[in-house]
Structure formats: C-alpha cells, structure tokens
Amino acid sequence: MKRNRAKHRIFLRTCISLLSAYLVLMIGFSIFMLFQEKKVASMQYGTYASYISSTVDEILKDNVDDDYKIIDTGQIKWEFVNSIANYTASKTEIAIFTKNYELVFHTRDDLLCSYTKDTDGRKYYTGYAYLNLDDWFEETVVTELKSYYYADTKAKKEGDLAGYSISLESFFVEDEMIIPEKISVIPMYAKDFDKDGRVTSSSGSQQMFYESNYENTKGLKTFYHGAIIPGFGENEINSQLRTMVTDEEKLRLAANKSELGSTEFVNPVTYRFYFAIPYQRHLNLDETDHYYSDFWTVTGVQVNLLEQCLSTLVFVWIISFIVFGIAALLLSTQTYKVYREREEFDQYRRETTNALAHDLKTPLSIISGYAQNLIENIHTEKREYYATNINGNVNRMDKIIREMLELSRYESDVIPLKYDDVSLREVGIKLLERYTQICNEKHITTSLDGDSIVKADFSLLERVMDNFYVNALEQTPEGGVIDISITDHTLEFFNSGSHIPDAVLSEIWKPYKKADTSRSNTKGSGLGLSISSKILDLYHFSYGVKNMANGVVFWFKW
C-alpha cells in the first residue's frame, strides 16, 4: 500500500510538472507562431495590395489627361467596379484617392452582381455592378431576399435544401449601380455530394419573383440574366475596414510620414493591415517637403492569425502532448525506479549495519570479558588462554572490517581492471590444494573438469572462485560432494546438500544474506558472495545460483 501511494504521488507530481512545462512551452510557441504569421500576412497582403494597385494604375492611365485629371468620372468608376470589385472578398476593402485626397471610388457594402454587358459573336464580356435592395424594395421584401442570400443551409442527404439561386431576370445599369426590374429566387435541392459531404450538384424548378415596379423613364439599356455573387454585402468587419480606407486624414498622415503600410491591433489574434500605395509606386516631394502622389490606392485587410495557423498549431499541440505524455510516463517510471533503488539501498544499509554490529558485538563481548579477568587477576593460570582468545577475536574483527572495506572498494567501481589470460583450471587446482585438509576432515569428495582461458585479473578471479569454494565447503555435509565444472563460457560449483529457499535465491548476493538464516552455524563473515558479485559485475560477467536435484549450483558466465 505504501509503495502504491508513493508511486501515485511520483506519477502525479511528474505529470503536473511536465504539464506545466508543456503549457508554458506551447503557449510560448503559439505566441511565436502568431507573431511569425503576422509578419507573413503583412508581406502576403502587401503583395496583394500591390497587385490591386497595378490594376488601378492601368485603369487610371487610360482615363486621365496630361494633368492627371480624370476625364470621365462615371466611366472610370464603372471600370473600377468591373476590374477590382472581385478582389474585395470578405474582410478586404479598397479606396482610391486623388492627389488632393479626394475620394474617387471605394468598394461598397452593397451586393455585387455580374452580367453580360456586351457580346461579339460567340464572345461574351462580363460586367460588374452593385445592387442596393433598400433602394428598390419594401422592407419586408428586402428582409426576405436577404434571408435567401445569407441562408446557411446544411444539406446532409439527397433532396435536402442546399441553398437558393438568386438571379436578375431584367435590370438596368446606371453609374455602376443595378436598377432591378425583376429578381427570381429558386430553392435548390442537393443531388450529389463529394467524399467530404459537400454538395457538388443541386437542382430546383419552382421560381419566386420579386418586381420593383421601376419605370425606365431615362431610356436605360435593359439587361437580362444577371447573377448576384455570393460572399458580398453587409458585414461589420467590412464596414470597419471601409471606414479605415476612406479616412482622408489617415491617408494624409501616412503620406506625410512616408509610412505607407501600418498595422492596427483588434485583439490578440486579429489585426488590420493598411496599405497606401502611390500611383505607379512613385512618391513626389513638394515645396513644403511633404510627399504626394497623383493618385493613391488604399487597401485594408483584416486577418485572424489564429485561423491562418490553426491547423499547424493543433497538430503541434497534439503531437507535443503525446510526446510530453510519453516523457511523463518514462520519467515517472524512472523516478519511481530510482525511489525504489534508494529505498532498497536504505534497507540494505540498515541490514548491513545491524549485521555488522551483530558480528562485531560477539567478539567484542568476549574480548571485554577476558580483558576484565586479566585486569582482576581471575584464574591467573588461564592468562595464556585469555590472551590467545583475545587475539583470535581481534583477528576475526579485523577480517570482518577488511572484507567490508574490500566490498566498499568494489562497489565504488573505481579500481583499475586488468585483462590478463587466466586459466580457470589453474585457479581451481590451487583451491583444491588449499582446502584439501578441510575436505579430508569432512570426508568431502572433490573433482575438477574442463578448462578455459578468461580475460580478467588473476587475483580477482581467484577471489571469486575462492568465495564460491568456501561457500560450498560451509554448505556441504560430511561425506558430501563438490564438483567444479568448466566449459567454454561457463564455470559451475556444485555442492551436495540442502536446497536454498526460493525466497533467499534472489537476495543471496547481498551482504549477510545466507542460505541458512541462522548465523550461528557458520564461521564466514557473510560478505564472500557479495564481494564475488561485485567483482563479476566489474567484468560484466553474468552469474547466478540454482537448486539441483541433490544440491546447489553457483555459476558465472563470460
């Protein structure tokens, strides 16, 4: 339960930390993206404004005299409508000024219409003009027509209403304005859809007609079959843009400061761009050191930067969230692993300290007792016996301390390693000779089979095999067997006797962990196998222990 609480706490803290970092980084990245998108939009719409200005310059060039005076205002307005009206889609407005900042033309909030203004054989020439419904129809009719024009239909299947086709059946044109005589409205029903669910074809037959009752007393030419272009008309954003581009003072200040491009803040993700481009891109300097141009083309555009880069931001946010989620999982897992290792290390330190204190306490108690007897001259005839036992226990404590220092040195992983050719059989023969007397006393049968050459330090490898052999001697009963088997890549020490409990197998390499949990029936320090494991780790040798049918095998591989 405690471990689960710690695991949940670590995971929660890691997730909160990374989530905070994720939000800070992604908000910063989003702000950076919006800033970059703002610069891109400024350049993009600056180019767009230059293109519009070029079109205006071409029209002006053909409609002004040598003194840059407009020859026919009606004609030039008509040409402006026909040439640049289609550039003014949603959130874009255009205005044209003279040298004296007099407004010549500007785009309007009326409906833009297209019609065939002329024919030449099979060639048809399209013209454009504006339509103001309020000038020709009653309020109820205007409301009804606008409801058709702005209808937001959601066709989902064949036969659903897909929109309305609004046409000019007959009309007149005067000063780039449409005078409607009859308007027809046809409800259109969906027939086909593309893979994204958009209507690709629709049809309708039932027509509704609206007549203005206009009397053509001026003898205007009658046109037939015009169309009202979708996407134009009343719009708050366009109205604000139109106010901006038709502002004479704003243009005058921009010209005087020679700041022909500017940006207005609307909200954190929306900006208005203002471009004032002089006629033929040429500025003149008058006698008062003020800049002027014979004509000005002013373009205003409102851009929602978030809409421009939303798909990129969504993609980056999602991918980054996945990456941060994986990082949180990996980091929390690794942190918990470190926590568990630290907990195990603290447990290991406590157990080692307790065990060491236990091992030192016994000889210290013996030494203390014998020393007290010597001081008080008790049993003076046993002085030599007391001294011998005191010396023996001092040597025992010295061995324990030296092995602890040796284990600490191997755990530090800073000792220099040698890689000499070591014959395992040669080391095994030395061990058999070293412990022959003990084996004879316990009637233990020993054997050594095989040989192999290993790259290692002779003394360290001898230390490992000696600890394995001593452990086998301690665990082998009288009359038992110890077999040392060497193959190409494995060395095994087998000793007959009782099995090691499964619960102890994984911990037997730790200090003071023994197969027999009672410590009284062994003379070892409890550090031999732990020292061996550290040496084998230094050389990256694998090792282990396993129970056999009639004994136990300790092994290592290289």
Side-chain angles (χ1 to χ4, degrees):
M1 181 66 71
K2 180 180 178 182
R3 289 183 180 179
N4 286 336
R5 285 200 300 269
K7 187 174 183 179
H8 293 156
R9 188 167 60 251
I10 289 171
F11 182 76
L12 183 61
R13 289 178 178 177
T14 303
C15 286
I16 291 174
S17 299
L18 283 181
L19 181 61
S20 301
Y22 165 78
L23 291 175
V24 170
L25 289 174
M26 292 312 302
I27 290 173
F29 173 77
S30 299
I31 293 173
F32 172 77
M33 278 290 294
L34 291 173
F35 179 75
Q36 293 298 111
E37 189 64 34
K38 178 184 173 184
K39 293 198 295 186
V40 171
S42 179
M43 292 186 291
Q44 175 184 346
Y45 288 105
T47 303
Y48 179 58
S50 296
Y51 184 73
I52 294 173
S53 176
S54 297
T55 304
V56 171
D57 290 351
E58 288 297 319
I59 297 171
L60 288 170
K61 187 168 60 174
D62 297 332
N63 289 276
V64 296
D65 57 22
D66 295 338
D67 295 324
Y68 296 103
K69 302 295 183 181
I70 296 175
I71 299 171
D72 187 339
T73 301
Q75 175 65 24
I76 202 170
K77 285 184 178 181
W78 184 84
E79 290 195 31
F80 283 149
V81 171
N82 282 274
S83 298
I84 67 173
N86 271 330
Y87 294 139
T88 57
S90 179
K91 303 178 185 178
T92 304
E93 292 293 328
I94 301 169
I96 300 167
F97 292 84
T98 65
K99 175 181 177 180
N100 297 323
Y101 305 107
E102 295 176 359
L103 184 63
V104 176
F105 170 83
H106 69 87
T107 47
R108 307 170 60 120
D109 59 357
D110 300 320
L111 304 180
L112 183 64
C113 304
S114 64
Y115 63 98
T116 302
K117 67 178 180 179
D118 202 0
T119 60
D120 183 8
R122 294 186 177 181
K123 291 183 179 180
Y124 295 86
Y125 298 93
T126 302
Y128 297 91
Y130 289 107
L131 170 61
N132 188 338
L133 294 173
D134 296 311
D135 291 342
W136 310 107
F137 297 97
E138 295 179 356
E139 183 179 350
T140 55
V141 175
V142 171
T143 301
E144 189 174 344
L145 286 172
K146 287 184 176 180
S147 69
Y148 297 141
Y149 181 77
Y150 294 111
D152 184 18
T153 55
K154 305 288 185 182
K156 300 295 184 182
K157 63 182 185 301
E158 183 178 354
D160 285 352
L161 180 65
Y164 296 90
S165 173
I166 306 176
S167 303
L168 299 167
E169 292 297 315
S170 59
F171 57 95
F172 313 97
V173 179
E174 183 180 27
D175 293 333
E176 80 272 354
M177 294 298 296
I178 295 287
I179 302 174
E181 188 175 36
K182 181 188 291 186
I183 294 177
S184 70
V185 178
I186 304 176
M188 304 297 289
Y189 298 93
K191 292 182 63 178
D192 298 312
F193 297 82
D194 62 14
K195 61 179 182 180
D196 297 321
R198 291 188 293 262
V199 177
T200 56
S201 66
S202 58
S203 63
S205 57
Q206 184 180 359
Q207 287 184 296
M208 297 176 286
F209 295 99
Y210 298 85
E211 297 183 4
S212 66
N213 298 319
Y214 172 76
E215 294 183 6
N216 185 13
T217 59
K218 297 180 181 180
L220 300 174
K221 179 181 177 180
T222 303
F223 293 91
Y224 300 94
H225 308 302
I228 300 176
I229 301 174
F232 294 84
E234 295 178 353
N235 185 296
E236 183 180 353
I237 293 175
N238 283 74
S239 296
Q240 294 170 350
L241 286 172
R242 194 173 304 112
T243 301
M244 180 178 73
V245 299
T246 57
D247 188 342
E248 174 189 334
E249 284 302 315
K250 186 176 182 65
L251 175 59
R252 191 186 299 274
L253 288 172
N256 290 339
K257 294 180 180 180
S258 191
E259 295 178 357
L260 305 183
S262 63
T263 305
E264 290 185 6
F265 175 87
V266 179
N267 59 53
V269 297
T270 306
Y271 291 84
R272 292 194 188 110
F273 296 99
Y274 179 88
F275 303 99
I277 301 177
Y279 179 58
Q280 296 183 342
R281 294 177 180 78
H282 182 69
L283 279 174
N284 302 302
L285 197 62
D286 62 18
E287 59 277 2
T288 61
D289 292 333
H290 288 154
Y291 290 102
Y292 73 93
S293 175
D294 295 304
F295 293 96
W296 295 92
T297 302
V298 180
T299 304
V301 183
Q302 181 164 308
V303 180
N304 187 310
L305 302 178
L306 186 60
E307 291 178 356
Q308 302 290 321
C309 58
L310 182 61
S311 59
T312 301
L313 286 176
V314 169
F315 175 78
V316 174
W317 274 72
I318 291 174
I319 293 299
S320 299
F321 183 80
I322 293 172
V323 171
F324 270 81
I326 294 173
L329 180 61
L330 293 176
L331 187 58
S332 59
T333 302
Q334 187 63 29
T335 303
Y336 180 69
K337 181 180 177 182
V338 172
Y339 167 80
R340 289 287 300 116
E341 289 176 350
R342 177 64 181 271
E343 191 179 53
E344 290 174 0
F345 175 78
D346 288 342
Q347 180 67 22
Y348 156 75
R349 179 178 54 79
R350 287 192 296 268
E351 291 178 354
T352 302
T353 303
N354 292 336
L356 179 61
H358 181 277
D359 273 3
L360 292 177
K361 180 181 178 181
T362 301
L364 283 173
S365 298
I366 295 173
I367 292 172
S368 176
Y370 288 159
Q372 189 69 29
N373 288 343
L374 289 173
I375 292 171
E376 297 177 1
N377 290 320
I378 300 174
H379 299 297
T380 55
E381 72 279 4
K382 294 184 178 181
R383 291 175 63 87
E384 184 177 349
Y385 172 78
Y386 293 156
T388 301
N389 275 278
I390 288 173
N391 187 60
N393 280 283
V394 168
N395 290 336
R396 181 181 175 188
M397 288 191 298
D398 180 65
K399 180 182 178 183
I400 292 172
I401 292 172
R402 280 189 288 105
E403 289 191 348
M404 282 296 299
L405 293 174
E406 183 182 10
L407 178 62
S408 177
R409 189 162 63 96
Y410 292 142
E411 287 179 337
S412 67
D413 200 19
V414 295
I415 63 172
L417 297 179
K418 295 180 181 179
Y419 291 90
D420 300 325
D421 290 336
V422 179
S423 170
L424 295 181
R425 185 175 184 82
E426 179 182 344
V427 178
I429 291 172
K430 287 184 66 177
L431 295 177
L432 293 178
E433 292 174 352
R434 183 181 302 164
Y435 298 105
T436 297
Q437 183 177 349
I438 299 176
C439 290
N440 290 337
E441 291 174 356
K442 295 181 65 175
H443 306 290
I444 294 175
T445 302
T446 60
S447 64
L448 173 64
D449 297 320
D451 189 17
S452 185
I453 304 298
V454 178
K455 288 285 186 181
D457 185 296
F458 184 91
S459 61
L460 294 181
L461 203 56
E462 182 183 12
R463 184 82 165 96
V464 172
M465 294 178 65
D466 185 271
N467 287 334
F468 277 21
Y469 198 92
V470 169
N471 179 75
L473 282 174
E474 291 182 353
Q475 303 302 324
T476 303
E478 290 194 13
V481 176
I482 297 177
D483 290 329
I484 304 174
S485 175
I486 304 170
T487 60
D488 289 340
H489 296 287
T490 306
L491 181 143
E492 293 183 347
F493 277 80
F494 168 80
N495 68 270
S496 60
S498 59
H499 289 171
I500 300 175
D502 292 338
V504 181
L505 280 175
S506 61
E507 298 185 347
I508 201 167
W509 304 101
K510 296 180 180 179
Y512 299 107
K513 294 292 182 179
K514 298 189 177 184
D516 188 352
T517 54
S518 63
R519 302 175 54 81
S520 58
N521 54 355
T522 177
K523 297 180 179 179
S525 65
L527 299 173
L529 291 177
S530 183
I531 291 173
S532 297
S533 69
K534 299 304 177 185
I535 294 174
L536 293 172
D537 286 336
L538 289 175
Y539 283 100
H540 304 291
F541 291 175
S542 59
Y543 53 89
V545 57
K546 57 186 176 181
N547 291 315
M548 304 297 288
N550 56 344
V552 178
V553 170
F554 283 79
W555 57 269
F556 68 83
K557 295 181 180 181
W558 55 92

